[in-house]
């Protein structure tokens, strides 16, 4: 009860809101994400008080089905002592995502849009993330917010450190030090596209 989730399913972005009543879930639209070599910058903003959600991918706001908006409910993602998970489901940590994830900011109590986290580069027109220092200096994380960048691979414990100042550290499950790699949206390496 109280689960709020965003995830990829059959190359589409799905969301899920679990409550004692109506549980809207499914693909937010028909857009497919099929390039396995592409980094995606995703901002998901949930305002349960006003029963709305908004999603930006690489700076562009997605058209969403209003039938998938969250009911007005207290979701566990902002509740102290409740499990949060990145790259897996909190209720089933044996089903991990097959992807790289970097720079996860979770904001508790403040609604930011994509421009808070990135911008269109003038010389290329490409969407790029802002530096973590700029984001952290201008962000109110709230009590249960966190910022995990997965960069400290001195041990499996340090991979899940929270750098928001809240010490909401994650305990990695089934993660090896070698899972932390230097490839990131701002330090990208050439890869063959298998498709």
């Amino acid at each position: 009860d109280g689960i709020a989730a965003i995830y990829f399913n059959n190359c589409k972005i799905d969301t899920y809101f679990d409550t004692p009543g109506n549980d809207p879930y499914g693909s937010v639209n028909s857009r497919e994400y099929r390039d396995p070599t592409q980094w995606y910058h995703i901002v998901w903003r949930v305002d349960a008080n006003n029963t709305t959600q908004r999603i930006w991918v690489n700076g562009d706001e997605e058209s969403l089905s209003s039938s998938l908006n969250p009911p007005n409910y207290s979701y566990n993602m902002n509740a102290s002592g409740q499990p949060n998970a990145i790259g897996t489901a909190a209720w089933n940590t044996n089903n991990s995502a097959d992807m790289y994830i970097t720079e996860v900011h979770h904001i508790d109590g403040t609604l930011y849009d994509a421009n808070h986290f990135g911008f269109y580069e003038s010389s290329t027109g490409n969407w790029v993330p802002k530096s973590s220092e700029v984001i952290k200096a201008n962000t109110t994380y709230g009590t249960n917010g966190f910022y995990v960048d997965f960069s400290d691979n001195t041990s499996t414990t340090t991979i899940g450190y929270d750098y928001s100042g809240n010490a909401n550290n994650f305990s990695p499950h089934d993660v090896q030090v070698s899972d932390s790699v230097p490839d990131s949206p701002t330090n990208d390496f050439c890869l063959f596209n298998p498709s």
Side-chain angles (χ1 to χ4, degrees):
D1 186 29
I3 295 165
I6 185 170
Y7 53 97
F8 284 100
N9 184 28
N10 294 321
C11 301
K12 297 178 184 173
I13 293 177
D14 283 23
T15 59
Y16 172 55
F17 298 99
D18 182 42
T19 68
N22 179 27
D23 295 340
Y25 69 93
S27 298
V28 297
N29 57 31
S30 61
R31 184 175 174 189
E32 294 185 344
Y33 299 87
R34 293 184 172 185
D35 186 351
T37 65
Q38 174 71 36
W39 283 100
Y40 294 106
H41 184 269
I42 299 173
V43 175
W44 181 39
R45 185 168 94 179
V46 176
D47 183 358
N49 289 337
N50 292 305
T51 65
T52 61
Q53 68 172 327
R54 295 172 73 183
I55 299 172
W56 292 264
V57 178
N58 296 338
D60 295 328
E61 187 166 8
E62 295 291 307
S63 297
L64 307 181
S65 169
S66 61
S67 66
L68 297 176
N69 280 336
N72 186 354
Y73 190 69
S74 295
Y75 295 96
N76 289 343
M77 60 185 174
N78 285 335
S80 180
Q82 295 296 319
N84 279 284
I86 300 170
T88 189
W91 61 92
N92 180 6
T93 57
N94 294 320
N95 190 13
S96 299
D98 185 19
M99 65 177 74
Y100 288 110
I101 301 172
T102 186
E103 304 245 357
V104 176
H105 296 268
H106 175 77
I107 314 302
D108 177 8
T110 304
L111 298 172
Y112 295 111
D113 62 22
N115 293 323
H116 184 79
F117 302 98
F119 62 96
Y120 288 102
E121 193 174 50
S122 60
S123 61
T124 65
N126 292 332
W127 181 260
V128 294
K130 292 181 180 177
S131 74
S132 58
E133 291 79 19
V134 168
I135 294 172
K136 288 191 316 183
N138 295 293
T139 300
T140 302
Y141 283 92
T143 304
N144 297 303
F146 55 82
Y147 165 56
V148 181
D149 69 2
F150 311 101
S151 65
D152 186 346
N153 61 3
T154 54
S155 75
T156 54
T157 302
T158 60
I159 290 174
Y161 275 4
D162 171 21
Y163 294 101
S164 71
N166 286 340
N168 291 325
N169 299 319
F170 278 74
S171 300
H173 173 76
D174 197 25
V175 173
Q176 309 301 318
V177 171
S178 59
D179 292 333
S180 177
V181 298
D183 196 22
S184 76
T186 54
N187 189 36
D188 206 11
F189 298 94
C190 293
L191 296 172
F192 281 109
N193 184 336
S195 54

